[in-house]
Amino acid sequence: MSRVGMVGVDEYRRRARIWLGQVKPPDLGSSYEERFAGLRRWQRVLYDAGWVGIHWPREVGGGGLSMHHTLAFAEELVRARLPQPVGSIGVEVIGPTILRHGSNEQRNRFLPQLLSGVELWGQGFSEPGAGSDLAGLRTRAIRDGDTLIVTGQKVWTSWATDADFCAVLARTDLNAGRHNGISYLIVDMRAPGVTVRPIRQMTGDPEFNEIFFDDVAVPLENVVGGLGGGWQLAMDTLGHERSGYAIRRRMENESAFIDLVDALRAAGPGAVPDARAAIGELFVSLKKFEAQSRATATRLADGEGPTPIDSLDKLSLTATEQQLYAVASNLLGVERMVVGARPWGARAEDWIKGLLYARSASIYGGSSQIQRSIIAERHLGLPRGR
Ligand SMILES: Cc1cc2nc3c(=O)[nH]c(=O)nc-3n(C[C@H](O)[C@H](O)[C@H](O)COP(=O)(O)OP(=O)(O)OC[C@H]3O[C@@H](n4cnc5c(N)ncnc54)[C@H](O)[C@@H]3O)c2cc1C
């Protein structure tokens, strides 16, 4: 460890294991809403004990340790069969951008509340006409003295119904080029003129939403990185979504894998034909991704900002998550189609929900086609497509 006095990762892991062995597990209820509320309380429990924002600076409520410590704790949560905290958009996606590019006032005002889960965040980037082509966004923020007046629409905004703040990309200079006129705004989701309309996904959960902005007043002090500086910050946030968030999602997949293996063990010999080869292959994929995310943790621990290589993590996450749920669903056999069925003790509906949700991994944070183009063009230097 380079930082003087920093506890080593192995010792930190040992302390985490002891703490997790004693903490009361969260009560997550059964509905989507109960689970979300339970995970939010869980985040507070973890934060109060110092286990959220482990590698963030102490001044903003973090632990002042390294990304390796953060990774170790996330792995210990999996090992203890306990869930990850809920505020992932804030902690893994938006927060790192505010930490790196926000003013001191913005960091002090927003980051401690974001880590504790007292305030949750949304990511207002995509619009009906701007997803892969994000620079085509049309939401406007027109200056009126010390205020920006925001009008427009976002879509697919995850957890916006529960968000207190949203990082919104808006066009502040209508005459500048496509990328130059965009700013990165912190918008209070309770401000007059903000309307959130949930969209039910094919999993049945209303996780993502439309957001409408009708003349919403945003103070100039809520612009991160200066007027017109939003494009670079958006790339920063997307880099975190493809690396840090992918690592966190890997943990959720590891937990699901452990559940699957436990269920198969309990089913006994011969109960699930063909399980061994598929599970073996899946294990190899998960281990490869684990090795890759350790390399990513090292890059992040060394202070490296987002790079085109982050797209590798996103692609690996997508591949392993889709493989995991496809394998589980195949092993469940036709019983997976029966509501309430418990083939070899597994809750079929959870695995089917996972199978459906896994489809989204090749879309959010930039589709797999876009990730492959980023690697080809920006990492390998191939000529850009038209
Ligand atoms: C579960 C989920 C949660 C999400 N959460 C959020 C959120 O919180 N905040 C947010 O801002 N957005 C969110 N999104 C939106 C997501 O970022 C966009 O859906 C994604 O960027 C794709 O944009 P699009 O849907 O407009 O599809 P399009 O951009 O229209 O793409 C359609 C298809 O065309 C392909 N394509 C498009 N352009 C190219 C190209 N140049 N080269 C090759 N192929 C191309 C795409 O790969 C895709 O297959 C979420 C999406 C999902 C599924």
Side-chain angles (χ1 to χ4, degrees):
M1 285 296 121
S2 56
R3 268 177 260 186
V4 178
M6 187 188 284
V7 60
V9 176
D10 290 343
E11 170 59 13
Y12 190 71
R13 194 183 278 281
R14 194 187 64 80
R15 291 182 197 172
R17 205 169 281 188
I18 292 170
W19 187 85
L20 289 168
Q22 293 165 352
V23 70
K24 184 171 173 286
D27 177 8
L28 298 181
S30 54
S31 71
Y32 171 82
E33 289 76 13
E34 285 167 345
R35 184 177 167 79
F36 194 89
L39 287 174
R40 193 169 182 171
R41 288 192 298 274
W42 177 233
Q43 177 157 343
R44 188 61 203 253
V45 171
L46 294 176
Y47 176 79
D48 286 345
W51 302 115
V52 184
I54 292 164
H55 64 282
W56 289 38
R58 287 182 186 278
E59 311 85 85
V60 296
L65 295 171
S66 79
M67 187 65 196
H68 295 291
H69 295 78
T70 296
L71 189 58
F73 183 73
E75 288 172 349
E76 288 305 315
L77 276 174
V78 174
R79 192 178 174 281
R81 316 294 294 265
L82 289 165
Q84 308 289 321
V86 76
S88 54
I89 299 273
V91 177
E92 274 106 15
V93 180
I94 308 291
T97 299
I98 298 181
L99 184 60
R100 192 180 276 244
H101 298 281
S103 64
N104 279 340
E105 290 73 23
Q106 288 166 345
R107 288 157 52 111
N108 294 336
R109 160 64 188 84
F110 293 110
L111 296 182
Q113 307 284 68
L114 174 155
L115 288 179
S116 64
V118 166
E119 289 171 348
L120 296 183
W121 283 69
Q123 178 192 13
F125 285 17
S126 305
E127 298 184 3
S132 304
D133 182 21
L134 186 57
L137 64 90
R138 296 169 64 180
T139 295
R140 296 169 169 210
I142 304 301
R143 188 165 177 177
D144 180 9
D146 289 342
T147 305
L148 292 165
I149 305 297
V150 181
T151 44
Q153 186 197 339
K154 298 291 172 180
V155 70
W156 318 127
T157 322
S158 300
W159 301 296
T161 39
D162 292 278
D164 300 283
F165 292 94
C166 190
V168 172
L169 293 180
R171 210 161 272 294
T172 42
D173 185 345
L174 305 181
N175 299 315
R178 268 163 56 90
H179 299 92
N180 296 337
I182 295 172
S183 299
Y184 193 104
L185 317 180
I186 298 173
V187 177
D188 181 345
M189 294 294 282
R190 317 269 176 252
V194 177
T195 307
V196 178
R197 208 156 65 191
I199 304 171
R200 203 164 283 279
Q201 295 172 213
M202 67 177 169
T203 56
D205 293 337
E207 182 185 292
F208 53 28
N209 303 267
E210 292 175 292
I211 311 180
F212 300 90
F213 301 102
D214 292 308
D215 293 334
V216 177
V218 175
L220 264 186
E221 66 204 29
N222 280 15
V223 177
V224 186
L227 280 173
W231 185 254
Q232 283 69 29
L233 270 59
M235 294 305 105
D236 187 85
T237 294
L238 288 170
H240 294 298
E241 187 172 1
R242 292 163 189 164
S243 57
Y245 178 75
I247 293 179
R248 173 238 172 75
R249 187 79 197 137
R250 174 173 82 76
M251 302 305 166
E252 282 158 358
N253 290 336
E254 293 275 350
S255 296
F257 178 72
I258 293 171
D259 287 346
L260 180 61
V261 171
D262 278 357
L264 289 168
R265 279 204 198 106
V272 190
D274 307 327
R276 285 176 305 169
I279 291 291
E281 275 176 41
L282 188 51
F283 185 67
V284 172
S285 301
L286 287 163
K287 283 287 156 194
K288 278 199 236 167
F289 189 20
E290 180 185 320
Q292 188 182 331
S293 58
R294 286 194 194 290
T296 302
T298 301
R299 281 198 294 113
L300 296 174
D302 290 346
E304 190 180 299
T307 78
I309 282 298
D310 297 328
S311 295
L312 277 183
D313 290 325
K314 178 68 198 327
L315 286 167
S316 298
L317 164 69
T318 301
T320 47
E321 182 160 330
Q322 293 182 351
Q323 184 184 0
L324 166 68
Y325 285 98
V327 165
S329 159
N330 283 340
L331 294 178
L332 287 167
V334 289
E335 275 195 78
R336 68 177 184 265
M337 309 306 288
V338 181
V339 175
R342 296 284 174 271
W344 33 274
R347 281 168 50 91
E349 58 269 31
D350 290 348
W351 289 101
I352 294 306
K353 193 181 257 199
L355 179 73
L356 297 175
Y357 193 80
R359 303 314 308 163
S360 70
S362 43
I363 304 174
Y364 63 72
S367 70
S368 292
Q369 288 87 344
I370 296 299
Q371 308 300 342
R372 287 192 279 269
S373 292
I374 290 172
I375 291 168
E377 290 171 6
R378 297 196 216 146
H379 184 66
L380 299 174
L382 266 64
R384 286 179 70 89
R386 276 195 283 166

